[in-house]
Amino acid sequence: MAASSPSLLLPLGSASRNGLAIKNPNSSRYIATRVIASETREQSCKINSLSSRREAMLLVLGVSGGLSMSSLAAYAAGLPPEDKPRLCEAECEKELENVPMVTTESGLQYKDIKVGTGPSPPVGFQVAANYVAMVPSGQIFDSSLEKGLPYLFRVGSGQVIKGLDEGILSMKAGGKRRLYIPGPLAFPKGLTSAPGRPRVAPNSPVVFDVSLEFIPGLDSEEE
């Protein structure tokens, strides 16, 4: 069996007591070992101190730094925050706090990040839209931005989840919107995401940032 890491700090052939060599206590090797063990304990204390202060740091960073929920979760886990393309970055998030929330009869809620100037899509028309799909904590489970192309589908035809269909129908081309989609309008059976992405539980709420890029055919007619 391989030697444990503390024994690697001891002179060969030495016995140990409380992690320190006891062979020839006046030798230079013994003195050096005591110094190394002492430094190791100091480093452990610093690490424990940092860990115990993590929650306090999270609170300070979250309030004063404006970090997203996903960034805070990553910090708590000792991981770097997500560095993925988004439709709403940090400055946008701050502005969104002052945008009024709209609630529809179905329970869908949304905030307009940017109101478009083009036409709204009629039911059954094909649309090209970019989206970033997140769980409520802000972690991304799917995104057209990472694929490099807008998503094409016929709006109002059941090709996407109900909340996304409804949310895009009232948008105008060129607009950008955040959709807060309740569980019944999202994934009733849940969604198994790719490795490293959060799983969407059945009937759980999700958040979609969407931008209606254009409406093929209709845009050209308007021009």
Side-chain angles (χ1 to χ4, degrees):
M1 180 180 293
S4 61
S5 54
S7 66
L8 298 178
L9 302 175
L10 302 178
L12 292 177
S14 300
S16 64
R17 182 173 61 215
N18 297 327
L20 297 177
I22 59 176
K23 176 181 179 181
N24 190 5
N26 295 320
S27 70
S28 58
R29 281 189 178 184
Y30 172 73
I31 295 172
T33 301
R34 288 182 62 89
V35 172
I36 292 172
S38 177
E39 290 179 349
T40 301
R41 284 196 298 271
E42 286 183 16
Q43 291 296 325
S44 297
C45 289
K46 289 180 181 179
I47 292 172
N48 290 336
S49 176
L50 286 174
S51 298
S52 65
R53 286 156 46 197
R54 188 177 299 278
E55 290 185 6
M57 286 297 295
L58 283 175
L59 180 60
V60 173
L61 290 172
V63 173
S64 63
L67 294 179
S68 66
M69 289 296 292
S70 58
S71 297
L72 290 175
Y75 183 86
L79 300 173
E82 287 187 316
D83 185 18
K84 299 183 176 66
R86 292 178 179 267
L87 289 172
C88 188
E89 300 290 353
E91 189 62 32
C92 166
E93 292 284 357
K94 292 181 182 179
E95 295 176 358
L96 205 58
E97 293 177 4
N98 300 318
V99 176
M101 180 81 78
V102 177
T103 304
T104 70
E105 292 182 1
S106 68
L108 173 70
Q109 294 183 309
Y110 66 82
K111 289 185 175 185
D112 279 315
I113 299 170
K114 174 187 175 183
V115 177
T117 57
S120 293
V123 173
F125 265 63
Q126 192 176 55
V127 298
N130 274 310
Y131 67 90
V132 176
M134 301 166 281
V135 293
S137 67
Q139 291 181 292
I140 298 172
F141 64 85
D142 194 13
S143 171
S144 66
L145 298 182
E146 295 176 34
K147 301 176 178 71
L149 289 172
Y151 185 59
L152 293 172
F153 67 97
R154 294 194 179 277
V155 69
S157 300
Q159 295 183 351
V160 295
I161 60 175
K162 294 178 180 179
L164 183 57
D165 250 346
E166 181 184 346
I168 286 185
L169 274 171
S170 57
M171 291 179 68
K172 293 183 177 181
K176 191 182 296 185
R177 176 176 287 180
R178 172 162 291 178
L179 303 173
Y180 301 88
I181 305 175
L185 302 181
F187 301 94
K189 296 182 179 180
L191 182 68
T192 302
S193 299
R197 299 297 177 92
R199 174 181 173 272
V200 179
N203 284 310
S204 63
V206 293
V207 179
F208 271 68
D209 284 349
V210 294
S211 62
L212 182 53
E213 303 297 338
F214 59 92
I215 306 169
L218 190 59
D219 274 352
S220 60
E221 289 176 12
E222 295 286 332
E223 295 173 358

